[in-house]
Amino acid sequence: MKPRLEWRVARVVHSRRETESARTIGLTVPGWRGHLAGQHIDLKLTAEDGYSAQRSYSLSRPADGERIELTVQQIDDGEVSPYLIGLAEGDEIELRGPIGGWFVWSPAEQARVLLVAGGSGIVPLMAMLRARVVAGVSYFRLVYSVRSPADVYYAQELGRLERECDWLRVALVYTRSAPPQTARTPGRLRSADLVATRWTPRDGVRIYVCGPTGFVESVTTKLIEQGHQHSAIRTERFGPSN
């Protein structure tokens, strides 16, 4: 029987702008025992009248002592995300975790890894990429579907990693508007975008797909049609939390 997760008080150590509507928040969590890339936490807000609201957020970095990091997309009429976006250094918040054991990547896995993200679904996949930097094993491919260049999370870091690392290839798929000179016409992710990674089911690829429900189902269907086995695909439905 797994031990019950305790609520802990975490302190904000930084909050920085990621996109126009998202911020990355760093926290210190006394007693944190670590986590795996791909896991998430529960956050809890409690009002003075006792009303409580909880939301789940994926961790965006691999284990680093008592420090964790997450990226929050603001929902204008939401209960929780506007509050989190407004957190400043020194503020405190309750959380528990880590949570999840299926949608995780471990350096012990030697298979090639294909990551497919839709919007904010990049967050747990970014933790996997960052864990790979430290571990030094496996080749990675990332197919990242976003509305426009302004909506890309971790844009500078992804660009730097692709330039500097021969084990990584990144394909940005724009659904609404693309930068000038982009060959691909904006639109939803297509089967050809996945085939372009040049990895086939025979290559023994481990696949992680994260994003809104419709996106995940569409991508999974395309992968199965291409011959990938269900057992090789791990999915996480990751919609905006309000």
Side-chain angles (χ1 to χ4, degrees):
M1 182 176 180
K2 293 183 178 180
R4 183 176 181 180
L5 293 174
E6 299 179 354
W7 289 100
R8 302 177 184 273
V9 177
R11 183 181 296 272
V12 177
V13 292
H14 69 75
S15 178
R16 64 175 181 270
R17 181 180 181 274
E18 201 64 59
T19 68
E20 188 66 30
S21 62
R23 294 191 71 83
T24 291
I25 303 168
L27 302 158
T28 57
V29 190
W32 188 257
R33 298 180 180 179
H35 58 275
L36 297 174
Q39 289 187 302
H40 64 276
I41 59 169
D42 287 338
L43 289 177
K44 179 169 67 173
L45 302 182
T46 304
E48 293 182 359
D49 63 2
Y51 174 76
S52 179
Q54 297 180 25
R55 299 291 185 273
S56 296
Y57 288 94
S58 291
L59 297 163
S60 60
R61 285 191 178 276
D64 180 20
E66 294 186 337
R67 299 190 67 162
I68 65 172
E69 194 174 273
L70 49 96
T71 300
V72 177
Q73 181 179 3
Q74 181 172 352
I75 307 302
D76 292 337
D77 59 350
E79 287 186 309
V80 176
S81 62
Y83 177 85
L84 298 179
I85 291 292
L87 289 174
E89 183 177 348
D91 288 342
E92 295 182 338
I93 191 169
E94 285 187 281
L95 61 81
R96 66 181 177 186
I99 300 169
W102 168 249
F103 194 80
V104 298
W105 178 78
S106 168
E109 299 183 27
Q110 299 295 315
R112 296 178 179 183
V113 179
L114 172 60
L115 309 176
V116 187
S120 58
I122 185 63
V123 177
L125 305 186
M126 194 66 192
M128 297 178 189
L129 280 176
R130 288 165 168 165
R132 164 60 180 85
V133 171
V134 177
V137 297
S138 302
Y139 287 91
F140 274 62
R141 299 287 185 268
L142 169 64
V143 179
Y144 184 12
S145 176
V146 290
R147 292 183 178 182
S148 72
D151 296 305
V152 178
Y153 288 15
Y154 323 115
Q156 292 186 352
E157 184 176 0
L158 285 173
R160 177 180 58 79
L161 287 175
E162 187 176 27
R163 289 192 303 271
E164 298 177 357
C165 303
D166 60 3
W167 51 266
L168 174 64
R169 294 292 180 273
V170 178
L172 294 174
V173 175
Y174 300 103
T175 63
R176 299 284 182 85
S177 62
Q181 314 305 320
T182 301
R184 184 189 184 278
T185 303
R188 293 183 179 181
L189 189 141
R190 306 156 190 158
S191 183
D193 297 315
L194 301 171
V195 173
T197 63
R198 298 185 180 179
W199 284 350
T200 71
R202 293 190 299 273
D203 293 316
V205 184
R206 170 79 71 187
I207 305 170
Y208 296 84
V209 186
C210 187
T213 297
F215 174 86
V216 171
E217 292 178 350
S218 175
V219 170
T220 301
T221 297
K222 290 177 174 60
L223 291 167
I224 296 298
E225 290 173 348
Q226 291 174 8
H228 294 279
Q229 298 298 310
H230 284 278
S231 59
I233 305 170
R234 299 187 180 187
T235 63
E236 184 86 274
R237 286 153 176 78
F238 188 88
S241 297
N242 66 7

